[in-house]
Every structure is written in structure tokens, then in C-alpha cells.
Amino acid sequence: MGDEWTAIAKVYDPLKAGSIDGTDDRPHDRGVQRAMLAKYKPRKAQLDGDPDCTLFVSRLNPDTDERSLLKAFQKYGDIVTVTVVRDIVTGFSKCYGFVEFKKEKSAIRARQDAHEDVVDERVLFVDWEFSRSLPGWVPRRLGGGFGGQKESGQLRFGGRDRPFKKPINLHHKGSYQPRDVRGYADNEDRHRHRDRYDEGRRDKDRYQSRDRDKDRERDSRDKERERDTYRDRDRDRDKDRDRDTYRDRDRDRDKDRDRDTYRDRDRDRETGIRTETDIEIETE
């Protein structure tokens, strides 16, 4: 990368590409080691056009062919060749290819506008063809390249997909101090940063734990309040039910009493016994 820091690599260095900020001084995975030892030469049979007018297109649908790519890119200018790279044995697509334009300005426009376009339900990745235009280039299959999958643990930086992050101890724009493998000027700086990081994590965990306790207490209060509401509602319902039960019982008792009174009066009348009530009626 030289003395001037840039987010995009101007010269490909496998060791720097394996570092998020381009400051590593030793390889951190075997892929980087393999790329550092590789001697790569692009295949002339595959690429023989103008490198300044050629784009690399990847993340293709396995069913995407040259005709689909031509249809997607011809709106940006006159196209010389379109190639989808295929397995030499099976003939299946390797899901990447190259598009060569007649004019460089057409390639510049296509790189800008066609990037992340959707073709055959796949989002395209479009960048320059680096095998001839970027000094020191080593492809992914030899441990180099740009990008990569996070799950593999072999990410590569300095390209369009994953540009370099600015080093933490960068003093001013365009320069940085030499660092060790972790990107720190010395062990004391690294331990100081780690202590600050651990302290920050402890504070964050403390606040998160406090927030969780508050949420738990709030949920508990809400549940208790809801239980009390239902409990009061059930209690009122039981009171109403008891009140209705007693009211019905009193009503039935009064009916039975009146029924007994009339029955006795009818019986006395039939036997000729005059009751006090009958006497009162007669005197009136």
C-alpha cells in the first residue's frame, strides 16, 4: 500500500489483503500463506482483450449464459466479447464471467450502474478485471482475491466489496505508523485498548442487566395487576351470584309461606272452622 493509505488497494499484496486495515505484517491464515508463495499468470486464451475495457461479473445464476449477460450490459455501450467461465470437465457455469466493451467510458459506466443489478434473480457483483490491471494480483483459488465468505474465516480486504478500514492510530490523512500484527503500535497500546474494551463491555453488560431487571419487574407488576383485576372481577361475580341465590331463596320461601297460608284457610273453611281472618272479614 505504500506510505499513503487508501481504502482500495492500488497494488495487490496478499498479506495486506488479509488484514481489515491493511497493516498486518504476518499471515493469519493458510490461504494468505499460499497466495504469498503463488506465481500467477492469467490465461491468455480466456482473456486477450483490453484490460481497461474489461469487467469482472460474478455471483451469477448457474443458468445465466452469455446471451443473458449481453442483454444486461449492451445498454451501456458496444460490447466486444462476453464470456461465462465454465468447468472444463462438466461444462457447468462457475457463476462468474467477463464483459469486454469497445470503449473504456462504456466500461466505466457499466461498472458504476450495473453493480448490484438483478439478472435471473441474482444480484450481480461488477468490478474491474484485475488479473491484468492490478499489479501483484492473485486469484481467490490461490488464496488471494477480494471479498470471501465470513464463515470461512478467510476474508480479503482492499476491494470494492470490502474496502480497507482506516487504521485506528492514523495520525493524519495519508499516513500511518507501523503496527504489529494486531494493528497496535506496541504491546502496551494493545493491552490498554483491550482493558478499555473489557471495561466498556462490563459497563454495557451492567446496563443491559439493569435494563433486563427493570423489564422483568415491570412485567411482574403488570402480571400481578392483571391477576388482581381478574381476581376482583371474579369476586364481584361471586358476590352477585350469591346475592341472586339468596334473593331466589327468599322469594321461594315467601311463595311457600303464602301457599301454606291459603291451603290452611281452604282447609278450615271446608271443616267449618272460622279463623280470625274470616271473622275480621265478616265484621267489616
Side-chain angles (χ1 to χ4, degrees):
M1 289 170 47
D3 294 332
E4 183 181 356
W5 181 88
T6 58
I8 303 298
K10 295 181 179 180
V11 175
Y12 190 82
D13 183 341
L15 180 61
K16 304 303 180 184
S19 169
I20 191 172
D21 57 4
T23 59
D24 281 6
D25 59 5
R26 67 186 69 175
H28 73 277
D29 65 58
R30 293 181 180 179
V32 173
Q33 293 178 339
R34 189 166 71 253
M36 292 173 67
L37 298 175
K39 295 180 179 180
Y40 172 71
K41 290 183 178 181
R43 299 174 184 174
K44 293 183 179 180
Q46 190 177 83
L47 296 170
D48 57 0
D50 186 349
D52 294 330
C53 298
T54 305
L55 297 179
F56 168 74
V57 184
S58 66
R59 300 173 188 171
L60 300 178
N61 188 310
D63 296 328
T64 299
D65 56 12
E66 285 82 358
R67 185 179 302 175
S68 299
L69 278 186
L70 177 63
K71 183 178 179 181
F73 282 85
Q74 64 184 359
K75 59 185 176 182
Y76 300 109
D78 295 333
I79 294 177
V80 179
T81 58
V82 176
T83 304
V84 173
V85 179
R86 303 180 183 278
D87 187 277
I88 193 172
V89 177
T90 64
F92 294 149
S93 170
K94 290 188 175 182
C95 300
Y96 72 90
F98 301 93
V99 178
E100 182 188 354
F101 287 89
K102 190 174 182 179
K103 297 181 179 180
E104 184 177 358
K105 65 178 183 180
S106 299
I108 294 173
R109 183 186 169 204
R111 179 183 179 273
Q112 178 179 350
D113 296 342
H115 180 59
E116 297 185 343
D117 270 1
V118 177
V119 174
D120 295 335
E121 300 181 352
R122 292 293 181 90
V123 180
L124 302 183
F125 176 81
V126 181
D127 205 349
W128 297 111
E129 177 261 303
F130 288 127
S131 60
R132 296 173 298 165
S133 61
L134 187 64
W137 175 253
V138 178
R140 185 67 183 177
R141 60 185 173 85
L142 296 179
F146 289 129
Q149 297 295 325
K150 188 174 182 180
E151 293 78 7
S152 68
Q154 296 187 3
L155 295 179
R156 300 294 180 261
F157 302 88
R160 183 174 198 175
D161 202 24
R162 284 190 174 87
F164 288 122
K165 302 293 184 181
K166 183 174 291 189
I168 296 175
N169 67 347
L170 198 63
H171 285 293
H172 57 82
K173 186 175 181 180
S175 65
Y176 65 90
Q177 286 182 327
R179 294 174 158 211
D180 68 355
V181 66
R182 295 292 182 180
Y184 299 100
D186 51 33
N187 289 333
E188 183 179 354
D189 185 22
R190 180 167 65 251
H191 291 307
R192 190 182 303 112
H193 178 79
R194 185 181 301 165
D195 291 341
R196 285 199 301 270
Y197 175 74
D198 292 339
E199 183 178 356
R201 285 196 62 178
R202 285 195 296 271
D203 291 340
K204 183 178 180 180
D205 292 341
R206 191 180 303 117
Y207 283 117
Q208 288 179 344
S209 176
R210 189 178 303 166
D211 291 339
R212 282 196 297 269
D213 292 339
K214 287 182 179 179
D215 292 339
R216 198 175 294 116
E217 292 176 2
R218 188 181 303 110
D219 293 341
S220 178
R221 285 198 301 270
D222 292 340
K223 289 182 179 179
E224 186 65 30
R225 190 178 300 111
E226 187 176 2
R227 278 198 297 270
D228 292 340
T229 300
Y230 284 112
R231 193 179 296 119
D232 294 339
R233 188 179 301 168
D234 293 340
R235 190 180 298 115
D236 294 337
R237 189 181 297 114
D238 292 339
K239 286 183 179 180
D240 293 339
R241 189 181 299 112
D242 292 340
R243 190 179 302 113
D244 293 339
T245 300
Y246 283 115
R247 187 180 299 114
D248 293 340
R249 190 179 300 166
D250 292 340
R251 188 180 300 112
D252 293 338
R253 190 181 295 115
D254 292 339
K255 286 182 180 181
D256 292 340
R257 190 181 297 113
D258 292 341
R259 189 181 301 112
D260 292 340
T261 300
Y262 285 111
R263 187 181 299 114
D264 293 341
R265 184 182 300 167
D266 293 340
R267 188 182 303 112
D268 293 339
R269 187 176 293 114
E270 290 174 358
T271 56
I273 300 176
R274 299 171 66 192
T275 63
E276 294 181 359
T277 305
D278 295 336
I279 295 172
E280 289 178 359
I281 294 174
E282 291 178 357
T283 56
E284 292 178 353

